[in-house]
Amino acid sequence: MPNALAYLMLLLWPLVSLVLFRRLPLERAILWCILAGYLVLPPVAEFDLPLVPDMDKFTIPSIMAFVLCIGLMRKKVPLLPRHPLARVLTLLFAFAVVPTVMTNGDPVIFEVLADADPIVFIVDMLPGLRWRDLGSVMINQVIILMPFLLARRYLSSPEGQKELLLAFCIAGLAYSVPSLFEIRFSPQINTTIYGFFQHDFSQTMRQGGFRPIVFMPHSLWLAVFMFSALLATTALARAAKEKKRLNLALASAYLFVVLVLCKSFASLAYGLSFVPLVALASPRWQIRVAIVLATLAITYPMLRNLGLIPTEAILAQAEAISADRAQSLGYRFDNEAMMLERAAEKPWFGWGGWGRNLVRELETGAILSIPDGHWILVFGTLGWLGYLAEMGLLSLSVVLLGIEIHRRAPRDISPYATPIALILAATMVDMMLNDTLVPMTWLCAGSVLGYAERLRYPGLFETPRPLFDGKQILMPQPLSLKSRRLI
């Protein structure tokens, strides 16, 4: 159980956020409010309040960043993107839960038949969804979108994207220190500080050593974050000049060593594949790879349903690399198959919350399936409608950026946009195996979509000139021919 300090940290984070917004530029305040909360606040610990989502390390920083940006800094945050399809997907993401709640009012009952047929013993029951649950679920969807909306507006310029990558770089270097400690002495920091271990300790033991976890929900989350920091540092090194490039290149090499020591095969594979791409390839090739990965991620359930994913061949390849990895991957595939059968009973709108999407023993209600991939959780909970809204919004950001990049010369493209798109696309691929969708992923998606919209709609986020400056009336400037065509 979390100790008093864990809950105190959650209570103090609004005050920490206020200090950040008072002392840092807006872009940095948004980044460090969300990123630092993700890295240092206790996992698992939460405040379970009535009629609202649980307040934890994901929701509290997102809410504070959004509220302080609007309330304290008096900055506008558009609630809907400019691109029509992105606008539809954003609304769908927020309101797709309505049909889910409306079609899941019946409870799920687990019962045992006695020897006499008419006698039934009810062992357990999962409640049906009610209208008051709708408000909580919709609020949760809006909170999830807050980092996305903030990043779209304030982290989508080349300067804002540089700040985003720099935050990843600095945070990765800082987080490597406790990570190396846990690699050497075993994961114990969360237990020492917050009084509990957040997961199964046996899953931190790999290859005769330990995988770090620090304050993350799982060691795999930390490895994915280290990969993101490595890719960000590599992108900064490529865009830097002279001495700064050397320092950032050395930082990249150091983070690669840390990533190897994290002992996560998937994250290491991402690093080996994408670091050379960011370091050497053109923006067009980078975005092409990102589009392929995003397409694979969003179509995975369809391919899985049709039996087009060669699971046996994939397991055979994994077996050749590591028997442990093959066993873990096979376990994931088996659970996916069970949960796909469960999701097929309500394919369009899903089963809703309360664990109704899980496969359970019919008489006792004991859970038989343990989901790992984020996609199967969303697919089982919200059905095709919710899945396409979420994954469509993430994928569309990458696709729109690709369209705009192919319309322009490489010199006209920010050197930071495509690395962020690659971080986003790699995370989407990882979501096929793990539930690694976090607020930082939404920051990347918002930054990519916002930059694509800036290219598509010049002057989108520019502040209009006042018509009266206190001394004289300012006449509006006529639109150029190019601007008139875009409106």
Side-chain angles (χ1 to χ4, degrees), residues 143-413:
I143 293 174
I144 290 174
L145 279 179
M146 285 179 177
F148 173 80
L149 299 175
L150 288 170
R152 174 184 170 268
R153 174 60 183 89
Y154 296 107
L155 299 177
S156 57
S157 65
E159 296 78 14
Q161 291 182 328
K162 183 179 180 180
E163 289 290 340
L164 176 58
L165 293 176
L166 186 61
F168 269 120
C169 172
I170 295 172
L173 292 172
Y175 222 61
S176 68
V177 177
S179 298
L180 291 174
F181 175 87
E182 291 198 339
I183 291 169
R184 176 63 181 86
F185 296 104
S186 81
Q188 53 186 281
I189 294 178
N190 197 83
T191 305
T192 302
I193 295 178
Y194 292 132
F196 71 104
F197 191 76
Q198 61 267 50
H199 209 274
D200 182 2
F201 189 83
S202 65
Q203 294 194 20
T204 66
M205 295 186 288
R206 286 290 185 276
Q207 303 171 13
F210 297 101
R211 299 194 296 185
I213 188 170
V214 194
F215 303 123
M216 297 283 189
H218 193 281
S219 297
L220 296 175
W221 273 246
L222 192 147
V224 170
F225 170 72
M226 283 299 172
F227 156 73
S228 302
L230 169 62
L231 211 64
T233 307
T234 304
L236 291 172
R238 178 173 177 174
K241 297 180 180 179
E242 300 174 357
K243 186 177 180 180
K244 286 185 178 181
R245 174 176 293 181
L246 176 61
N247 292 337
L248 288 167
L250 292 174
S252 297
Y254 167 74
L255 287 174
F256 180 77
V257 173
V258 176
L259 181 61
V260 172
L261 294 175
C262 286
K263 304 178 182 70
S264 171
F265 177 77
S267 295
L268 180 58
Y270 304 150
L272 291 172
S273 303
F274 301 142
V275 168
L277 191 68
V278 169
L280 303 173
S282 67
R284 288 189 176 184
W285 275 107
Q286 291 181 37
I287 199 62
R288 287 169 186 165
V289 173
I291 291 174
V292 170
L293 295 176
T295 303
L296 174 64
I298 195 173
T299 58
Y300 182 77
M302 309 172 199
L303 300 176
R304 195 79 165 86
N305 273 327
L306 296 173
L308 298 178
I309 300 294
T311 56
E312 296 299 328
I314 294 173
L315 288 175
Q317 291 294 327
E319 181 73 31
I321 298 172
S322 168
D324 290 339
R325 301 282 62 76
Q327 182 181 5
S328 175
L329 190 59
Y331 182 77
R332 283 179 166 88
F333 285 156
D334 291 340
N335 278 276
E336 283 181 4
M338 287 192 295
M339 294 193 66
L340 277 173
E341 292 182 8
R342 174 69 172 170
E345 299 177 29
K346 292 192 175 184
W348 294 110
F349 308 128
W351 285 92
W354 305 108
R356 295 161 55 93
N357 62 313
L358 302 178
V359 178
R360 297 173 180 265
E361 211 281 325
L362 294 178
E363 293 187 351
T364 65
I367 297 175
L368 301 178
S369 62
I370 301 177
D372 287 307
H374 179 80
W375 74 271
I376 192 63
L377 287 168
V378 176
F379 186 56
T381 303
L382 300 176
W384 278 115
L385 190 65
Y387 175 83
L388 291 176
E390 181 177 288
M391 295 299 289
L393 192 56
L394 295 173
S395 302
L396 181 65
S397 304
V398 179
V399 172
L400 289 181
L401 179 61
I403 293 173
E404 297 306 320
I405 285 178
H406 281 81
R407 290 176 175 175
R408 291 166 174 79
R411 64 177 180 274
D412 298 329
I413 303 300

Side-chain angles (χ1 to χ4, degrees), residues 436-483:
T436 46
L437 181 62
V438 296
M440 296 308 299
T441 309
W442 286 107
L443 283 178
C444 291
S447 177
V448 171
L449 177 64
Y451 182 69
E453 289 185 315
R454 285 175 184 267
L455 295 177
R456 189 179 184 89
Y457 309 106
L460 175 62
F461 295 123
E462 291 181 5
T463 304
R465 297 178 62 192
L467 296 180
F468 181 69
D469 66 351
K471 296 180 180 180
Q472 59 180 340
I473 296 176
L474 302 177
M475 298 302 295
Q477 298 296 318
L479 294 174
S480 65
L481 179 61
K482 181 179 180 180
S483 298

